[in-house]
Amino acid sequence: MLAAATGTQLQQITTRTVPVAVSTSGPARSGVTGPACAVRAVRRCLRCEKGWTYAAVGGPDWHRKYHLLRRHIEAGHDPTTWHRDLTINGVKAGGWLHRQFTAWTRLDDGQRTLLTHLGLTPDQVPLPVRKTSVTPGTRTRRSFHQTAELLRLFVQRWGRPPSARESMEVDGEHIMIGPWLCKVRTKQNLRQLTEEQIQLMMEILKDERESPGREPSAEEPRIISEIP
């Protein structure tokens, strides 16, 4: 490779994404410090020449993301630990690489060669979807009817409606049934409930008021004209 470069003027070689300038005149060692540096310079030029060809095939955006992954690997990041939602400098690199794997057989030979050189092939980098665990604070969204049925369970269990700050446990989930009932009462006052919702709530709370042997407290109205 050194012999091929001896006596040759290496002009500035530029890809669309990675500009590299290397200049030597005379013997291959002129302008560099030692044979090892000369070898690296020539190899770098050859890689750039290949990159120019591949850039014409893949386009500048393809090579921009390819070199982004290359630098990420050179920084010490193991591709086998990557996930599909990998983001580098604001670029969704994991999703881009997954699309390359999906269309692997349709890629240009040069593109597959570049990716393979980095060890980025469908059989080497699985790119799994990151599993999202449910945090303890995550709440299940329930319909009005579903929460009303939970209220019915509370009333049947305790023989009274919940106070403003009471809660209940259902399948390990902490449900603020008291604040929910307060919101329902507010919506009733603002006429924001449907007739079906009003009838359901009156049925649940009326069952509680008409329980045998239970005397309504002084704070509870004896006539149900709206949701208590």
Side-chain angles (χ1 to χ4, degrees), residues 9-220:
Q9 178 72 28
L10 297 179
Q11 302 293 336
Q12 182 178 7
I13 302 171
T14 307
T15 68
R16 297 186 184 182
T17 54
V18 185
V20 180
V22 180
S23 176
T24 61
S25 59
R29 297 186 183 184
S30 177
V32 294
T33 56
C37 292
V39 171
R40 287 195 297 270
V42 174
R43 287 178 177 174
R44 191 177 184 186
C45 289
L46 293 176
R47 286 199 299 271
C48 289
E49 290 175 343
K50 290 181 180 180
W52 176 267
T53 302
Y54 295 150
V57 176
D61 184 68
W62 192 95
H63 279 265
R64 179 176 68 90
K65 293 173 181 175
Y66 164 79
H67 287 294
L68 187 68
L69 290 176
R70 175 182 59 80
R71 291 190 293 270
H72 197 60
I73 294 174
E74 291 175 351
H77 300 280
D78 184 2
T80 60
T81 64
W82 294 353
H83 290 79
R84 201 173 301 177
D85 60 352
L86 171 68
T87 301
I88 307 174
N89 298 335
V91 177
K92 297 179 180 179
W96 177 84
L97 185 58
H98 174 68
R99 291 193 294 274
Q100 308 311 304
F101 291 165
T102 302
W104 186 257
T105 57
R106 298 192 299 274
L107 292 180
D108 179 77
D109 291 342
Q111 292 172 310
R112 285 197 298 270
T113 300
L114 285 173
L115 291 171
T116 302
H117 179 71
L118 296 180
L120 301 178
T121 59
D123 59 330
Q124 291 180 295
V125 182
L127 282 181
V129 178
R130 189 186 299 274
K131 295 181 179 179
T132 56
S133 57
V134 179
T135 59
T138 303
R139 295 184 299 175
T140 303
R141 294 187 64 87
R142 293 182 175 84
S143 66
F144 183 94
H145 182 81
Q146 290 173 327
T147 310
E149 291 303 320
L150 295 179
L151 175 63
R152 187 193 299 274
L153 293 176
F154 184 98
V155 171
Q156 291 175 348
R157 170 66 178 83
W158 299 104
R160 60 174 177 80
S163 62
R165 296 187 178 182
E166 278 192 288
S167 62
M168 60 187 300
E169 294 286 335
V170 178
D171 295 332
E173 183 180 355
H174 190 69
I175 300 173
M176 300 300 294
I177 195 65
W180 180 83
L181 180 57
C182 290
K183 292 179 181 178
V184 171
R185 286 170 172 159
T186 301
K187 288 184 177 182
Q188 164 66 13
N189 294 333
L190 297 175
R191 302 184 183 278
Q192 295 178 349
L193 295 182
T194 66
E195 187 63 28
E196 180 183 358
Q197 291 172 337
I198 294 175
Q199 292 299 326
L200 176 61
M201 294 300 297
M202 292 180 65
E203 174 194 346
I204 294 173
L205 297 175
K206 185 176 181 180
D207 288 344
E208 174 268 330
R209 293 173 179 277
E210 294 180 351
S211 299
R214 182 185 184 276
E215 292 295 331
S217 65
E219 298 178 355
E220 298 175 348

